[in-house]
Amino acid sequence: MAEALKDRSMVLQKEMIANHFARLARAPETGEPVVYTFVPGNLTELIRSFDALPVLPEINALQSGMRKLSGDYIAEAERAGHSEDVCTYVKCDIGMMRSGNLGPGGLKLPKPDLLLLSYTGCYTFMKWFELLREEYDCPTVMFHVPYQGDGVLEPEHRNYMLRQLKEQVIPALEKATGRKYDEDKLRHHLALSAKAEDDLVAVLQAGKNRPSPIDGYFGTVYYVGPIFSAFRGTEEGVEYYRALRQEVEERAALGLGPITPDGPLEGERYRLVVEGPPNWTHFRDFWKMFSDEKAVVVASTYTKVGGTYDFGFRHNPDDPLGTLADYCSGCYTNLNLPTRIEMISRYIEEYQADGFLINSVKSCNSFSAGQLMILREVEKRTGIPGAFIESDLVDPRYFSAANIKNRLESYFQMIDARRLGKTA
Amino acid sequence: MGSGDAPTRAALVEKARDIYDDLDFGAVRRWLADHPGRKAAGYLPVYAPREIMHACGLLPVGIHGGGDRLEIIRGDAFYQSYICHLPRSVIELAQSGRLDMLSAVLFPSTCDVIRNLSGMWKLLYPEAYVRYIDVPQTPDKGAAADFWESELRRLVRDLGRVSGHHPTDAELRSSVELYNETRAMVRALYTARRERPWDLPTEELYVLLRAGELIPAEEFIAMSRDYLAAVEAEPRRPRDNSRVVVVGAFCEQPPLGLIMSIERAGCYIVDDDFLLGNRFLTRDVPLDGDPVRALAEAFVSNDQRTSVLFESDPLGKKRLMKECVAAANADGIIFATPSFCDPALLDQPMLRAGAENASIPCIAFKYAENTGQFQQFREQAGTFADSIKLWGDA
Ligand code: SF4
Ligand code: SF4
């Protein structure tokens, strides 16, 4: 982000993250237990209730991408025999580990005391932790979240998850941390989560304003960072989202557009909905291709991978384990294709978008397999033509700026032509 | 062959090959025509409970893509270039009407591609029954069995609705028995090949198994029995080939030409994971007690290890190849994986490290089911076979 922009929320986030990584770096001395887990379906409140610190390998991978380190890490993993065809997050993580395991900020990451495999919405997660288990030689606990193949969380599936939480996950956490499960403590963290979630939803839904005071994709990946990673269920998280909401509501009241790396965006011209993760190695250039054209993303699906709060879900302290199961099951990539299509169509309507774009990333079958079908179905349902571009998460070899720019330019021209057609 | 004579090996292989080659699923269509009022249910790789389809009166039909015999016209419009070939060829089969005889299709949890394909099916073919089958992945056997039992009961109920026939326990039990027999037959074929690979070349065994995915279980058993008898009647001479295990081909199937190339390059395939669903349950399912519970427990207590299941033993991956090579008395491993196949490719570094620690020679290549050029594979496999022979005795 641009140096000049010093909103309170940004300062807060920076501090929170720096403190977290500093604490992680000190963990081998302080003895704080460390649990590695994934973003979708993360059980941060539960981990925190054991006074353990979460590490999210995907976040480390995306940070490595933004810091232009991922290319080398991926090469390192491929030299060690990992296929060029598979998810680049995994290879980036493995390459990082083999290159000294320096996390964002250059501090060394501690080894995990437990790999908490929340198997939610992505097959690769399973292999990722099998691979890490080989490297770290530490316990792994599997938490299998059934896929919503029929578009609903089935009661038997919920029971299955509850049982695993009680009989597998909690005992594994007890063993790894040496602490007893404390349900009241979990409730406390869940209540904090719900508070932050309310504020997050207010921020996300600010995209319904015209102009939108937020960018619901590029800007919002920063906004969801704390809640999707280590800070859900924490006091810092609550404070961050309160501050963020205030700022966003102020901007909305003043009729201001979103803040971009090149300053505030004025004169919103295109309102878009985006499906698919962003590219991290060229994140800023990618965003600029939109902001230069005054295109604002009003809503996106990627910002729902760590929870789909905008359709009503909140962590519920009155049903501590049940709410964790509901949360895990409802993460975006655990939803079937018809539900994803429904969601995008709804965003287009509710956020009054005049376009939608799919960024298909090579790495991720969880998102990408089926996206051409999503494109066609959403077009059919909303009558709005979509655009399709291809890149990768953290492999710099698969980002072709010229191609993407051309594609976007012609897409914006098409939207203009349609508008003229409509008003003519 | 004269009438009344036992069928020859060549005749049996030709028959199996015709069934396998027929992308219009003539065998399935004929069965439907011969059984008015009955229906067929498809299933994708890797494992689907065929007993339940059968007990509901449905003909189970394995869907394995179109191999190298299908031109992809529509399928490519559904998938980006960096996604494996299987789903596009399955969509091609469906969009060209070749799967229109299926009243239900089951999508086992193999990977995210199959998962999302189930949603596509729901949208494209709303009249078919579609179920994503999430097999249990927890090492807690109690929770796993309860979960899988509830999934199976749902299938019994739903498929019963599709076919209009809700099976009794006795019918379920007799289907379990039939598939126990099927699996025993597959095991017998695999054992015979392991012991005398010159007598049961994989190019023959494979088409037999592929035919078995499209015909009733009873027919498959009879055909296999005839085949084994024909093999006994026409023994062949062993050659000085290297014995290899082929690993990684459990979902998108290799083209037959690739299997033939490996064999003609001087390798005997003595174990493989082609059509793995066939051998997924490694032991007979007990016939006493509740049949659905028995099926669920058989899945949970089975010792099949594959990339599509979570490996809870930290040493499991390291040991797997060594154990597999020892059981098959093999000399080396060919990792043959479909391009872009997450399960196979993500597992490979772990499996390969285990194999190399045990000093087992390995080679790896990637294929697509529609690969047409085999020269390169043949050369690689040939060099591999030679090197095994050269160094094996050293
Ligand atoms: S495949 Fe997709 S969802 Fe899975 S780890 Fe990779 S990027 Fe994440
Ligand atoms: S070939 Fe591999 S990636 Fe493709 S559908 Fe099968 S298991 Fe999935």
Side-chain angles (χ1 to χ4, degrees), chain A residues 80-87 90 117 119-124 126-128 130-131 133-134 137-138 140-142 144-151 154-157 160 163-164 167-168 333-338 340-341 360-363 365-373 376-377 381 388-391, chain B residues 76-84 109-113 115-120 122-124 129-132 134-144 146-147 150-151 154 157-158 306-318 338-350 353 366:
Chain A
H82 291 267
S83 167
E84 64 198 48
D85 289 357
V86 301
C87 173
V90 179
L117 171 45
Y119 181 49
T120 307
C122 167
Y123 169 87
T124 298
M126 184 160 90
K127 291 293 136 183
W128 195 339
E130 284 180 2
L131 284 159
R133 182 177 60 194
E134 304 245 307
D137 192 19
C138 70
T140 309
V141 61
M142 163 60 124
H144 175 203
V145 177
Y147 179 60
Q148 286 200 8
D150 285 342
E154 294 164 16
E156 298 90 337
H157 292 181
Y160 172 55
R163 184 152 168 201
Q164 291 179 77
E167 295 175 10
Q168 296 281 309
T333 46
N334 204 48
L335 307 177
N336 72 357
L337 229 55
R340 283 169 64 183
I341 288 165
S360 179
V361 298
K362 175 180 182 286
S363 265
N365 278 338
S366 175
F367 261 100
S368 302
Q371 277 176 330
L372 287 165
M373 177 96 192
R376 271 199 300 269
E377 278 293 308
R381 283 190 204 186
F388 200 87
I389 55 173
E390 295 179 349
S391 67
Chain B
D76 283 345
F78 285 84
Y79 286 102
Q80 303 90 309
S81 55
Y82 38 81
I83 290 172
C84 62
S109 68
T110 304
C111 70
D112 299 334
V113 172
R115 197 189 69 184
N116 292 357
L117 181 59
S118 73
M120 292 171 71
K122 276 183 188 283
L123 293 159
L124 288 167
Y129 171 78
V130 170
R131 176 87 183 161
Y132 175 76
D134 218 339
V135 299
Q137 295 280 10
T138 170
D140 172 356
K141 291 203 188 311
D146 288 351
F147 167 74
S150 72
E151 291 298 287
R154 176 189 288 271
R157 192 191 68 207
D158 291 359
T306 137
S307 306
V308 303
L309 293 178
F310 175 61
E311 172 58 77
S312 52
D313 173 4
L315 297 174
K317 296 275 169 198
K318 286 199 183 87
S339 295
F340 303 106
C341 176
D342 286 340
L345 291 167
L346 284 162
D347 246 6
Q348 198 171 294
M350 291 182 279
K366 290 192 285 189

Side-chain angles (χ1 to χ4, degrees), chain B residues 56 88 106 146 177 228 277 303 327 375 389:
Chain B
C56 293
R88 72 191 74 224
L106 308 182
D146 288 351
E177 190 172 12
L228 282 173
D303 45 18
Q375 188 54 29
K389 269 179 252 165

Side-chain angles (χ1 to χ4, degrees), chain B residues 4 27-28 39-40 53 60 63-64 70 90 130 154 157 187 193 196 218 235-236 260 274 284 287 305 319 327 336-337:
Chain B
V28 176
K39 292 178 177 168
M53 301 175 228
I63 306 174
H64 297 282
L70 183 69
V90 169
V130 170
R154 176 189 288 271
R157 192 191 68 207
R187 281 198 298 271
R193 181 188 60 172
R196 290 171 294 143
E218 298 87 344
R236 292 177 179 170
M260 288 158 70
F274 310 144
D284 281 354
L287 296 173
R305 302 229 130 111
R319 289 201 203 107
T337 49

